[in-house]
Amino acid sequence: MKNIQWIKSPVDKDGAAFIFAKTFNTVKEVENAVVSISSVGVYKAVLGGQKIGNQILTPGYTSYDKRIQFNTYDITDKIKNENNLEITVAPGWAVGHLGYKKDCRNFYSDHVIAVAEIEITYTDGTCELINTDGTWSVYTSPVVYSDIYMGETFDATYEPEFLGTAVLDNFNTTLIPQEGEDIVEHERLAPVELIITPKGERVIDFGQNMTGYVEFNVKGKKGEKIVTTCAEVLDKDGNFYNANYRNAKNKITFILDGTQRRYKPEFSFQGFRYIRLEEYPDMPINLDDIRAIVVHSDIERTGYFECGYEKINQLYHNIIWGQKSNYLDVPTDCPQRDERLGWTGDTQVFCRTAALNFNVSKFFEKWLGDLRVDQREDGAILGVCPEWHTYEKGALYQTRISAAWGDAAVIVPWEIYRAYGDKNFLEKNFEMMKKWADFIHGSGPEEFLWIRAENEYHYGDWLGIDIDGGSDSCEGATSKNLISSVYFANAVDIVVKAGEELGKDVSEYRELYKKIFARFHEYFVEKIIKLICDPEHECEEEFRGKVHPNVTQTSLSLILYFKLYLPEEKEIIANKLEELIHAYGDRMTTGFVGTPYILHALTKSGKSDVAYTLLFQNKNPSWLYSVEKGATTMWEHWNGIKEDGSFWSDSMNSFNHYAYGAVGDWLYGTVAGISVCENGAGYKKIVLQPHPDKRLGFVNCTVDTVRGKVQSNWYYKCDKVYFEFTVPQGTEAKIVLPNGYTETVRGGKYMYIV
Ligand code: BGC
């Protein structure tokens, strides 16, 4: 944009959307015309009565005070001699409620602001620029209230009111061309059923938990209303339940004007499977007139996995829908309650699976841009990006600087590079990665470990269920110092690998890694080995008979996965991990940190049978437990709905949290066996090493990579396993079969029988 002039309404109406309008004429023949638009708030632009572009919720979600995207549209075909451009701006993320503290709003501004520039090139070579300025008119809009969390009120009977000419606003930020994927509408889901609940309420079930909104195609009488709220699940009696939305009301109101028309929210979205009709016009409810519209970033599907075990197919389906529901311009924790924030921990945990399911390179290009500007001067990365904080009684409240959360700064760039092989991308993020590793290096009292200082709070093995007090607490039993030290080692290791790919001198980090390894081994692993070998003798008094924070399923999985042991210790650690799993009824006790790694740790230790035992487990806690309970997306808690049908506390119980969906990467990478070699970023070199299991019957798996389709199918027939692989041209694949047969092949199709 050439001339940037922000404008606002001369009159403020809390929560309302305003229309900023400009009429302009073209006097000569137009060769080309584009308009660039942005807002503090979310906007919709209409030219000559027609919506411009098919995106919604533009300009997306960034740390608006640091950077805001603008969108540029080609409007050549829409330009007439006389034109009227109307930009409606609603509060959105920037002005409405944001964050999980009650009444937290106006994070970036207390009023909506717009900026636009129309650039017309005439056939005679001259150019005209029309910018937002004090000549633009401001009107009320039919969207009398809009808020991401609270919902929207649309009054079709409204008469536009001229509020005056626009007032200039000096909002200070950097405008950048749109970096991320467009946010667009996707599937339109028909209702499955209209339920009259035991309480007598009218509830519509769309059969799928999702993110988006509901559209009604109705007439009604002028002034009649449709009012809805929504829910992800029904309670054990079949009644509507939305207490887990906390302060997010998600209330949608349409005031009808008596004509046949389509009503849907335009500046808000909800996470739901069910809607409750709080009010409905005096007419029969025709389900054909109602559709749930799925909304997410326009990421392209690339991964497909199918097997002969229906419940695992449903788990995979839930993983896909967890991602669709939470990849809306930024990777969010959940789409429904008063959060929907870019939690860094959730993001890093899931990003490898995400990059298998969908092409997320552009999506992360943008979010990592957000992360780079949010990184503190000292290298720290907070729990949420785009950044969110608030003030409580005058004191600054921030999300934590925590291991496994801040580590998104190294893990996400590395994983995205690994998936797509683009060195520019790694180069762009390398400084941020180093700064994060350096930040950890300078933290806490120990140089080569990340030991928490007095005032440092980590999230730990979030939602792990092995802490004393059981499954209703938030933080698992695993030592936070152990977790953070493992992530310290991993961060430095990634900096080394990334530096090597880029041809940089990373000898300093290589040396640092060696020191971390040695100190970690001395401080944790040696003691763990002693504890494992002689628990009674070595265990400190306070942990006798309890879970020892250094010897948990999570701690052992981390040590195995990140190879922080000496060769002779591997078996001892793996056997202990297996013992802990059996001791807990062949189930996991792991939370956000341990769960993504436990199956990999077992497979890498030659215990894929134990890993499969966990995968097939259907009692709480397990992946299939939620499937048994009818889940259509991933749950935040293993036991969001408990065995007796009651809920985990309303205070934190999302049914659409993708983090535990990170097991998807084990389905692709181990069950089907498709993985990228360490030095084969972008599928230049891959390993095809399936781990067949008879209970699955067959597996069909493909990943559309930047080099073409990689396929791994296998099936059982007459006690033999048949393998079929497709390797794209330009790719080298190492095939490793369960009988030990190994060969390296190039592009083509390959079949084996074992
Ligand atoms: C979010 C999580 C997040 C966590 C931080 C929660 O409220 O929903 O997924 O990572 O806070 O521990």
Side-chain angles (χ1 to χ4, degrees):
M1 286 171 95
K2 298 193 175 69
N3 301 328
I4 295 165
Q5 179 55 66
W6 293 95
I7 54 171
K8 65 178 175 187
S9 165
V11 182
D12 201 17
K13 289 197 179 175
D14 206 17
F18 293 95
I19 299 173
F20 297 89
K22 177 78 180 171
T23 304
F24 59 97
N25 298 324
T26 50
V27 281
K28 295 181 272 185
E29 200 184 332
V30 175
E31 163 98 28
N32 179 52
V34 293
V35 60
S36 298
I37 308 172
S38 191
S39 59
V40 179
V42 283
Y43 78 84
K44 173 184 85 166
V46 171
L47 183 62
Q50 266 185 299
K51 181 171 168 4
I52 305 178
N54 66 343
Q55 292 109 305
I56 52 170
L57 299 166
T58 42
Y61 180 15
T62 50
S63 286
Y64 298 99
D65 53 344
K66 298 173 192 140
R67 56 187 218 139
I68 302 191
Q69 303 184 97
F70 67 85
N71 315 95
T72 301
Y73 309 90
D74 188 332
I75 50 167
T76 316
D77 292 347
K78 292 194 174 74
I79 287 280
K80 309 240 163 50
N81 289 348
E82 197 177 305
N83 304 283
N84 185 31
L85 175 65
E86 290 187 349
I87 303 171
T88 307
V89 187
W93 293 278
V95 182
H97 288 85
L98 191 69
Y100 47 89
K101 296 276 180 184
K102 202 164 189 277
D103 295 330
C104 203
R105 54 198 299 229
N106 301 345
F107 189 68
Y108 295 97
S109 166
D110 61 4
H111 56 275
V112 299
I113 318 174
V115 66
E117 182 176 81
I118 306 157
E119 187 174 355
I120 306 169
T121 310
Y122 295 104
T123 46
D124 65 5
T126 58
C127 214
E128 190 182 352
L129 280 185
I130 301 164
N131 292 96
T132 36
D133 60 19
T135 66
W136 286 53
S137 305
V138 185
Y139 297 90
T140 55
S141 87
V143 179
V144 292
Y145 178 80
S146 181
D147 189 280
I148 299 280
Y149 295 168
M150 299 300 165
E152 197 161 297
T153 301
F154 177 89
D155 182 357
T157 67
Y158 113 109
E159 296 291 338
E161 184 191 339
F162 176 64
L163 297 171
T165 48
V167 174
L168 304 186
D169 192 283
N170 58 1
F171 192 79
N172 190 14
T173 190
T174 304
L175 273 168
I176 52 157
Q178 180 186 337
E179 268 183 8
E181 297 281 9
D182 294 346
I183 310 168
V184 293
E185 294 183 347
H186 290 264
E187 297 90 333
R188 296 172 65 85
L189 305 184
V192 173
E193 198 185 353
L194 170 65
I195 303 166
I196 305 297
T197 67
K199 281 192 183 163
E201 295 174 324
R202 294 169 296 180
V203 170
I204 295 173
D205 177 8
F206 291 96
Q208 174 63 54
N209 203 16
M210 53 161 277
T211 299
Y213 36 72
V214 175
E215 180 189 81
F216 292 86
N217 180 7
V218 290
K219 192 166 174 218
K221 295 192 194 76
K222 188 172 178 185
E224 278 187 323
K225 281 184 190 169
I226 298 175
V227 181
T228 65
T229 50
C230 57
E232 296 182 284
V233 289
L234 301 181
D235 73 9
K236 62 176 174 193
D237 301 320
N239 283 314
F240 186 82
Y241 164 82
N242 65 355
N244 63 327
Y245 285 58
R246 304 193 304 216
N247 294 314
K249 299 268 174 286
N250 291 293
K251 185 174 169 190
I252 306 297
T253 304
F254 300 121
I255 304 170
L256 314 188
D257 65 356
T259 67
Q260 185 75 37
R261 61 192 284 174
R262 290 176 189 274
Y263 294 87
K264 63 179 178 184
E266 289 188 286
F267 306 104
S268 177
F269 62 89
Q270 294 77 52
F272 65 99
R273 168 174 167 173
Y274 303 90
I275 56 164
R276 176 168 64 186
L277 301 177
E278 310 283 343
E279 276 185 56
Y280 201 75
D282 185 17
M283 60 185 189
I285 299 163
N286 182 359
L287 295 184
D288 289 341
D289 295 335
I290 304 172
R291 289 292 178 269
I293 302 176
V294 177
V295 160
H296 55 83
S297 285
D298 204 8
I299 44 180
E300 193 191 336
R301 183 79 184 272
T302 49
Y304 298 87
F305 177 92
E306 185 197 4
C307 67
Y309 196 87
E310 262 327 296
K311 286 181 181 142
I312 289 175
N313 289 338
Q314 181 67 42
L315 169 68
Y316 177 73
H317 168 101
N318 297 356
I319 295 169
I320 295 288
W321 277 86
Q323 183 168 356
K324 280 172 186 258
S325 307
N326 283 296
Y327 271 38
L328 201 160
D329 211 41
V330 304
T332 56
D333 55 337
C334 56
Q336 75 298 80
R337 68 181 180 217
D338 48 353
E339 290 207 52
R340 316 184 198 183
L341 299 170
W343 281 99
T344 47
D346 309 42
T347 304
Q348 69 82 3
V349 158
F350 187 69
C351 68
R352 181 181 286 194
T353 301
L356 286 155
N357 292 337
F358 290 88
N359 185 336
V360 292
S361 54
K362 194 169 175 202
F363 179 84
F364 275 115
E365 168 95 42
K366 183 248 169 199
W367 187 74
L368 286 166
D370 296 334
L371 200 62
R372 288 196 301 274
V373 298
D374 277 355
Q375 182 170 39
R376 273 185 359 193
E377 214 28 58
D378 62 358
I381 297 276
L382 292 162
V384 163
C385 166
E387 196 190 331
W388 174 82
H389 59 252
T390 186
Y391 291 89
E392 283 186 323
K393 295 181 192 131
L396 177 66
Y397 170 89
Q398 282 180 304
T399 55
R400 301 175 191 175
I401 301 166
S402 170
W405 270 252
D407 284 283
V410 283
I411 294 173
V412 179
W414 181 245
E415 287 300 333
I416 301 304
Y417 171 66
R418 201 175 156 270
Y420 305 109
D422 181 354
K423 284 202 176 148
N424 291 325
F425 180 85
L426 207 53
E427 182 78 60
K428 230 183 202 174
N429 291 297
F430 191 64
E431 272 313 301
M432 168 174 73
M433 298 162 82
K434 267 195 343 191
K435 271 175 83 177
W436 170 247
D438 294 346
F439 169 78
I440 307 176
H441 191 190
S443 293
E446 280 259 355
E447 188 180 356
F448 303 116
L449 295 174
W450 190 1
I451 302 294
R452 283 187 302 161
E454 260 315 80
N455 55 352
E456 258 182 37
Y457 303 97
H458 291 229
Y459 294 111
D461 189 21
W462 187 247
L463 308 189
I465 59 167
D466 45 2
I467 199 146
D468 300 335
S471 65
D472 280 358
S473 68
C474 282
E475 300 179 13
T478 307
S479 148
K480 291 186 179 178
N481 286 339
L482 181 142
I483 292 173
S484 44
S485 299
V486 169
Y487 277 92
F488 181 18
N490 183 49
V492 173
D493 186 42
I494 289 179
V495 168
V496 171
K497 290 189 290 199
E500 283 169 353
E501 290 290 309
L502 294 171
K504 297 192 188 281
D505 175 13
V506 279
S507 47
E508 196 189 317
Y509 290 92
R510 215 174 280 119
E511 286 313 303
L512 176 59
Y513 181 83
K514 285 185 196 152
K515 289 183 180 139
I516 299 169
F517 181 95
R519 184 71 182 125
F520 183 88
H521 190 267
E522 182 188 21
Y523 196 91
F524 291 108
V525 184
E526 280 178 20
K527 289 183 200 151
I528 289 171
I529 297 289
K530 276 190 195 153
L531 272 168
I532 293 174
C533 298
D534 189 2
E536 279 315 301
H537 177 71
E538 288 293 337
C539 193
E540 300 95 317
E541 190 61 44
E542 56 178 314
F543 296 121
R544 290 261 160 90
K546 293 184 182 170
V547 177
H548 192 289
N550 286 344
V551 190
T552 64
Q553 291 184 14
T554 289
S555 70
L556 302 179
S557 298
L558 291 177
I559 293 168
L560 288 169
Y561 183 85
F562 291 104
K563 297 201 181 95
L564 292 165
Y565 52 78
L566 299 177
E568 62 274 20
E569 293 160 346
K570 183 176 178 183
E571 203 180 326
I572 302 171
I573 299 170
N575 286 345
K576 183 67 185 177
L577 174 60
E578 179 177 354
E579 185 194 311
L580 292 181
I581 292 167
H582 293 322
Y584 198 63
D586 287 338
R587 289 172 302 158
M588 291 171 290
T589 55
T590 49
F592 272 37
V593 167
T595 305
Y597 301 119
I598 190 165
L599 299 190
H600 289 290
L602 289 164
T603 316
K604 280 171 188 274
S605 312
K607 294 184 187 292
S608 48
D609 52 330
V610 185
Y612 266 117
T613 302
L614 291 180
L615 182 71
F616 283 112
Q617 177 61 263
N618 63 357
K619 295 200 175 56
N620 171 50
S622 70
W623 285 284
L624 294 190
Y625 173 77
S626 61
V627 171
E628 297 282 354
K629 288 277 182 191
T632 58
T633 41
M634 301 307 296
W635 292 358
E636 178 173 29
H637 293 270
W638 291 122
N639 60 343
I641 300 176
K642 297 185 185 179
E643 280 89 343
D644 66 2
S646 64
F647 294 120
W648 208 90
S649 156
D650 299 338
S651 65
M652 202 179 70
N653 200 11
S654 151
F655 294 96
N656 205 348
H657 241 68
Y658 56 54
Y660 289 153
V663 68
D665 133 54
W666 195 77
L667 298 178
Y668 287 102
T670 303
V671 176
I674 299 174
S675 63
V676 180
C677 265
E678 193 79 307
N679 58 349
Y683 292 82
K684 196 168 175 200
K685 287 188 188 166
I686 58 175
V687 178
L688 292 168
Q689 185 176 13
H691 288 70
D693 183 285
K694 213 165 189 171
R695 286 166 290 182
L696 288 180
F698 73 89
V699 160
N700 291 335
C701 181
T702 57
V703 182
D704 291 324
T705 74
V706 284
R707 285 168 196 274
K709 190 190 287 291
V710 178
Q711 185 157 27
S712 168
N713 295 349
W714 54 256
Y715 57 93
Y716 278 83
K717 199 169 145 193
C718 305
D719 271 341
K720 292 215 175 310
V721 195
Y722 290 66
F723 297 91
E724 295 169 359
F725 301 113
T726 305
V727 178
Q729 296 304 328
T731 290
E732 185 183 291
K734 184 175 169 195
I735 293 176
V736 185
L737 299 180
N739 63 357
Y741 177 80
T742 303
E743 79 170 309
T744 299
V745 299
R746 293 186 181 276
K749 287 187 184 297
Y750 300 88
M751 280 187 63
Y752 304 85
I753 305 172
V754 174

